[in-house]
Amino acid sequence: MKSIQLIGLIFLFPTLFFGQTKAIITIQNNSAIARQEAVTAIKWENITTAFPEIDTANFVIINPNTKKQVPYQLEHLGKSSIQNVLIQIDVKPKSSLNLMLQKGKPNLFETKTYARYVPERKDDFAWENDKIAFRAYGKAIEKSNEDAYGFDVWVKRTKKMILNERYKTGNYHVDSGNGMDYYHVGYSLGAGNMAPYINDTIRYSANYHQYKVLDNGPLRSTFQLIYDTWDAGKIKIKVTKTISIDAGSQLNRIENVYTFDDNKPIPVVIGIIKRAEAGVISLNEQQGILAYWEPTFAQDGTTGVGSIFSNPTATMWIDKTQILAKTTVTNNSPIVYYTGACWDKAQEITNSKQWFDYLNNFQEQLKNPLTITIRQNKQ
């Protein structure tokens, strides 16, 4: 009935939807999983082909179902020219969504992702979205009693950006209403960092020494962390880690490029630190999902951590301090995986089953990406 009413509206008021429209974007969801708050990339070259006279400062994308603007971001990936237009949408299972691209003044869209270098806190690099936050440790903290090798998690229960506020107050180990940092990393890979695994030993690098921000919101923030060459069991290795966080997601996309003087692949592991108290662990080698629901820490709540692999995993196991999954990398060739966390006090994912289901659904979405077509409007 709703679709009939919509057709009637378009027939009666064609200029409402098509009068100034220059292109129609169709997003198809062929999977049985609803896409909610999904950030999707449309190649800029495809947009300019369908809408050659587009003005980058004067266009809007309209959802005719809501008659509202769709939030978008011009993604550069560190280049001077636009590479993609990122949009955030909802698409029902086995259905499609049509959007109208036309001239107009875009709204000021809410910032939902943010990343920055934090020199005032010993070279931290921190990043967040509207769900969760993370940080990596830099050069200034090396060889101190605060040094840590893995990714840190800052839990939050607000959609607002909180990094600057927490660093300004400096009291982020106490929950003042929007979350806190109670995650412990130490001498581990933390919440899903990766390291070479040579002769059955994790070969930790030093912390990152250089960084580069490629894009910074409002829907996706992407940056690189660059690590100096280190000795990984008599193999000289260096790595660049390109990390992206999307609005609405609990997980980061991580693309690592290892460079070393060997034509043979080398083993690497992705790890999650394990607590002494009992938690819930899932090792799904077949699907490539490493999942952990931590023990509850008194009034602080419970954190879920998980990693999803694009490459086949050779094996997963639990040692005394970490939950690990092993795969291999080749010289100067990117390896992509996803890792992230959730917090039960955010009241969205509140138990291990929900967390494991979230990771399974995320993996299914990776296997069944949305398809996008864009065409000129003939009307």
Side-chain angles (χ1 to χ4, degrees):
M1 187 64 182
K2 291 182 180 178
S3 60
I4 294 173
Q5 291 174 346
L6 178 60
I7 292 170
L9 282 172
I10 295 174
F11 179 79
L12 290 172
F13 305 104
T15 56
L16 177 64
F17 298 109
F18 296 110
Q20 299 298 320
T21 299
K22 296 297 182 182
I24 300 173
I25 303 166
T26 301
I27 300 100
Q28 180 72 40
N29 179 8
N30 294 315
S31 76
I33 299 173
R35 305 300 172 93
Q36 297 178 325
E37 301 180 298
V39 175
T40 305
I42 307 170
K43 290 185 180 298
W44 181 247
E45 62 182 0
N46 293 343
I47 287 178
T48 56
T49 297
F51 190 176
E53 68 272 30
I54 189 169
D55 179 352
T56 57
N58 188 39
F59 78 89
V60 294
I61 300 173
I62 303 294
N63 183 336
N65 297 325
T66 63
K67 307 180 185 64
K68 295 181 179 180
Q69 291 189 26
V70 175
Y72 72 81
Q73 173 185 335
L74 302 180
E75 184 180 39
H76 288 77
L77 296 174
K79 300 176 182 178
S80 58
S81 59
I82 300 168
Q83 303 300 301
N84 299 297
V85 173
L86 305 176
I87 58 174
Q88 188 176 31
I89 51 171
D90 297 333
V91 190
K92 295 178 181 179
K94 302 290 185 179
S95 66
S96 62
L97 173 67
N98 286 328
L99 303 175
M100 311 306 172
L101 178 64
Q102 63 190 46
K103 293 180 180 180
K105 183 178 180 181
N107 293 335
L108 183 62
F109 300 120
E110 180 184 1
T111 297
K112 296 182 179 182
T113 70
Y114 177 63
R116 80 170 176 99
Y117 168 57
V118 191
E120 68 271 28
R121 220 307 294 196
K122 300 181 180 180
D123 292 344
D124 282 0
F125 196 98
W127 64 102
E128 66 177 318
N129 66 2
D130 49 351
K131 303 288 185 181
I132 196 76
F134 305 90
R135 67 172 166 174
Y137 298 94
K139 184 176 181 179
I141 206 172
E142 289 176 358
K143 298 180 180 178
S144 74
N145 59 4
E146 296 179 280
D147 198 5
Y149 296 89
F151 294 140
D152 190 22
V153 177
W154 280 16
V155 294
K156 55 188 290 188
R157 48 178 168 178
T158 176
K159 294 181 180 295
K160 296 180 180 179
M161 302 296 99
I162 50 80
L163 288 180
N164 287 337
E165 176 188 339
R166 290 192 189 177
Y167 276 114
K168 183 177 181 179
T169 63
N171 190 27
Y172 46 79
H173 295 293
V174 176
D175 184 4
S176 299
N178 64 18
M180 62 189 297
D181 172 26
Y182 76 99
Y183 192 79
H184 173 69
V185 177
Y187 193 72
S188 80
L189 293 168
N193 202 359
M194 176 186 283
Y197 189 70
I198 310 299
N199 296 327
D200 296 331
T201 302
I202 301 175
R203 307 293 177 169
Y204 294 101
S205 66
N207 295 329
Y208 85 91
H209 285 186
Q210 299 176 64
Y211 74 92
K212 184 178 181 181
V213 177
L214 306 182
D215 291 285
N216 208 356
L219 298 179
R220 175 180 293 167
S221 292
T222 302
F223 57 93
Q224 292 180 331
L225 301 179
I226 302 162
Y227 295 74
D228 291 347
T229 301
W230 77 101
D231 186 351
K234 299 183 179 180
I235 302 175
K236 298 295 184 182
I237 296 178
K238 62 180 179 180
V239 64
T240 297
K241 304 186 177 189
T242 303
I243 301 173
S244 297
I245 191 166
D246 283 358
S249 178
Q250 303 289 155
L251 304 182
N252 305 283
R253 181 188 187 273
I254 302 183
E255 180 178 302
N256 292 340
V257 176
Y258 286 90
T259 305
F260 48 91
D261 294 329
D262 199 332
N263 292 325
K264 297 179 181 179
I266 65 167
V268 294
V269 289
I270 296 151
I272 297 172
I273 188 169
K274 181 172 68 70
R275 310 306 174 190
E277 300 82 0
V280 185
I281 298 172
S282 174
L283 307 180
N284 189 337
E285 293 182 354
Q286 184 176 4
Q287 295 297 322
I289 302 174
L290 191 69
Y292 183 37
W293 187 254
E294 288 196 337
T296 300
F297 286 86
Q299 73 275 12
D300 294 336
T302 312
T303 299
V305 186
S307 300
I308 298 175
F309 307 90
S310 299
N311 286 30
T313 54
T315 185
M316 296 180 177
W317 73 100
I318 305 166
D319 71 9
K320 291 182 180 180
T321 59
Q322 301 191 72
I323 308 162
L324 298 164
K326 183 171 71 172
T327 187
T328 59
V329 297
T330 55
N331 179 42
N332 209 32
S333 180
I335 178 172
V336 175
Y337 71 102
Y338 298 80
T339 194
C342 70
W343 189 38
D344 65 342
K345 285 195 172 184
Q347 294 299 311
E348 292 188 16
I349 300 172
T350 59
N351 57 58
S352 61
K353 182 182 183 305
Q354 291 177 353
W355 179 230
F356 297 168
D357 286 347
Y358 178 90
L359 296 172
N360 289 334
N361 286 342
F362 195 100
Q363 177 70 297
E364 285 301 311
Q365 292 176 38
L366 292 176
K367 294 177 181 178
N368 299 280
L370 298 172
T371 59
I372 299 173
T373 56
I374 181 168
R375 67 188 188 276
Q376 289 183 323
N377 178 38
K378 302 299 184 181
Q379 303 210 11

